Amino acid sequence: MDVTVQDNPARHRFEILLDGEVGGFADYRERDGAVVVVHSEVDPAHRGQGLGSVLAAQTLDALRARGAKVVPACPFFARYVADHPEYDDIIG
């Protein structure tokens, strides 16, 4: 299965694509110079495959590359960041 994560700015979300089809997403809002990740989910048919972690890591990597600060309001992203201190530099 081909897995990619891409920003969909028109929908204010990063999407994880599985063979070109949306299999999950992370909604965000831009506020006070930071990107607030407010909600994320993976399609129930694809849960248990580690795709949430792929979505979180690639979303955070893309935001780091932009120089953005991130506020992980989404409980999954908050747990992911707590478990991965390598992202501490972009948490705002």
Side-chain angles (χ1 to χ4, degrees), residues 21-40:
E21 299 293 322
V22 176
F25 57 88
D27 287 327
Y28 65 84
R29 302 291 176 260
E30 295 185 44
R31 185 176 308 138
D32 299 326
V35 176
V36 182
V37 179
V38 294
H39 174 75
S40 65

Side-chain angles (χ1 to χ4, degrees), residues 49-72:
Q49 300 175 35
L51 296 173
S53 293
V54 172
L55 175 62
Q58 291 191 23
T59 296
L60 293 167
D61 289 344
L63 292 171
R64 174 185 277 145
R66 293 181 194 172
K69 288 292 185 185
V70 178
V71 177

